[in-house]
Amino acid sequence: MMPAATLLERHLANLAAALPPYQRCEPLLARWGATLAQRLTAGGRLLVAGNGGSAAEAQHLTAELVGKLRDDRQPLSAIALHAETSALTAIGNDYGYDEVFARQVRAHGRPDDVLLLLSTSGGSGNLLAAARAGREAGLRCWAFTGPAPNPLADACHEVLAVESSDSQVVQELHLVSSHLLCEYVEQAMPEHTGDTTPRYVEPQVPAVSSAPAEGPVRAGVEVVLDGGAGRPVEA
């Protein structure tokens, strides 16, 4: 009788089963990376949102873009909408939880910005509302989801769907996707392609001269008069 598979063996088996179809996502990630590099270096913005574990992964992605993945480069504008806790709770309290991302999309999104929504199920109401708001505002809407078809995939312009029924595997490959997307963004940046487009330059702080000022240096108060006699009193 064969021994039962351990938790690790079962998990790795599910992950291994999802890898062959996932490899077909590379052209999509490369194209998204090139699009983001062009739009973000031109002053555009990436808005990202998710719930639970997907929220953590979305925030991981924005951190890599505002900071860096590998090499130093200009910072890129990327905002994790779920990290705006005061806005999130205020909107949820006043308008309902389905509006927590959509209202922020309407506030921050501009035509030609990109909205990326992460969901293992593809059925979260607040992400569906955000996708509708994004399309109405002229944003390009993308999604990372689990198996398609699903409502979020249908609501967005394009989707990277991980073909696995195991939500843990879906989230793990979403993390791989975030890292690859950042790598493709950095690969397409002007400093990597030889493009001569002006890039962000860290502002230089003007040097402070150490040379002594001309004339005598005075300190203290010199306008106090001695009993009205008109003679300055030295401080």
Side-chain angles (χ1 to χ4, degrees):
M1 183 176 177
M2 294 287 292
T6 67
L7 285 175
L8 176 60
E9 289 169 339
R10 287 199 299 270
H11 190 95
L12 292 179
N14 288 340
L15 181 58
L19 291 177
Y22 176 75
Q23 289 181 314
R24 296 195 292 269
C25 297
E26 185 169 22
L28 177 64
L29 287 168
R31 181 161 52 79
W32 283 6
T35 297
L36 277 180
Q38 187 275 323
R39 294 194 181 192
L40 299 186
T41 55
R45 176 179 293 158
L46 174 68
L47 304 179
V48 189
N51 295 294
S54 295
E57 296 207 10
Q59 200 165 337
H60 185 141
L61 171 60
T62 58
E64 303 282 20
L65 291 172
V66 177
K68 66 174 183 176
L69 183 68
R70 294 189 185 278
D71 301 323
D72 191 26
R73 50 144 172 90
Q74 73 177 85
L76 302 172
S77 180
I79 300 174
L81 300 179
H82 53 273
E84 295 285 343
T85 54
S86 293
L88 191 82
T89 52
I91 295 166
N93 188 61
D94 294 343
Y95 299 96
Y97 195 67
D98 279 357
E99 282 293 304
V100 294
F101 301 137
R103 191 167 179 84
Q104 292 187 75
V105 169
R106 296 187 193 102
H108 301 306
R110 300 293 180 267
D112 295 327
D113 285 349
V114 177
L115 174 65
L116 175 60
L117 304 169
L118 285 72
S119 172
T120 56
S121 68
S124 301
N126 54 11
L127 298 180
L128 293 171
R132 289 192 293 270
R135 296 189 71 145
E136 289 168 3
L139 281 71
R140 189 71 182 169
C141 299
W142 300 338
F144 285 175
T145 74
N150 62 67
L152 186 59
D154 294 339
C156 292
H157 292 103
E158 293 186 281
V159 61
L160 186 154
V162 175
E163 297 301 322
S164 175
S165 59
D166 187 334
S167 61
Q168 295 176 43
V169 168
V170 172
Q171 288 186 343
E172 286 158 5
L173 290 180
H174 283 177
L175 179 58
V176 172
S177 301
S178 293
H179 284 154
L180 286 170
L181 184 59
C182 288
E183 290 212 59
Y184 278 117
V185 167
E186 293 188 351
Q187 188 178 85
M189 296 276 287
E191 51 262 51
H192 286 274
T193 62
D195 193 332
T196 57
T197 302
R199 302 194 302 274
Y200 172 87
V201 177
E202 192 72 32
Q204 300 296 312
V205 178
V208 178
S209 174
S210 59
E214 293 184 3
V217 177
R218 298 180 179 180
V221 178
E222 300 185 24
V223 295
V224 179
L225 301 180
D226 182 12
R231 295 192 303 273
V233 176
E234 294 184 2

